[in-house]
Amino acid sequence: MILGYILICGINPLEADTIDGCRLYSRQFRYMSSCEKAYQDFLGNTRLPEGHYPADNDCFSVGTGL
């Protein structure tokens, strides 16, 4: 399994589900390439509210390593 995440910052730090003004969004993928494509699609198709910005992202493999 591949876990992808995007960290969005610039949010009011008092807003629910934020840590220091950032919120983490994660999603599972079957393939690394689909995770990477999803992030590129996010950048191209998503309008964040003013002041919000993607601070970090990554795709990594998790599981038993069999």
Side-chain angles (χ1 to χ4, degrees), residues 1-4 27-32 35 59-62:
M1 168 178 52
I2 306 299
L3 180 64
R27 188 170 147 198
Q28 295 177 14
F29 296 90
R30 184 179 280 295
Y31 304 106
M32 186 67 74
C35 178
C59 300
F60 55 93
S61 177
V62 294

Side-chain angles (χ1 to χ4, degrees), residues 2-64:
I2 306 299
L3 180 64
Y5 74 85
I6 299 174
L7 184 65
I8 303 295
C9 293
I11 303 167
N12 180 340
L14 299 178
E15 193 170 320
D17 300 323
T18 63
I19 298 175
D20 293 331
C22 297
R23 183 174 291 140
L24 181 72
Y25 297 92
S26 61
R27 188 170 147 198
Q28 295 177 14
F29 296 90
R30 184 179 280 295
Y31 304 106
M32 186 67 74
S33 59
S34 56
C35 178
E36 292 165 349
K37 183 177 179 331
Y39 180 66
Q40 293 304 315
D41 289 347
F42 171 82
L43 291 178
N45 299 324
T46 304
R47 263 193 114 132
L48 295 173
E50 187 172 332
H52 292 57
Y53 58 93
D56 195 14
N57 77 289
D58 202 0
C59 300
F60 55 93
S61 177
V62 294
T64 61

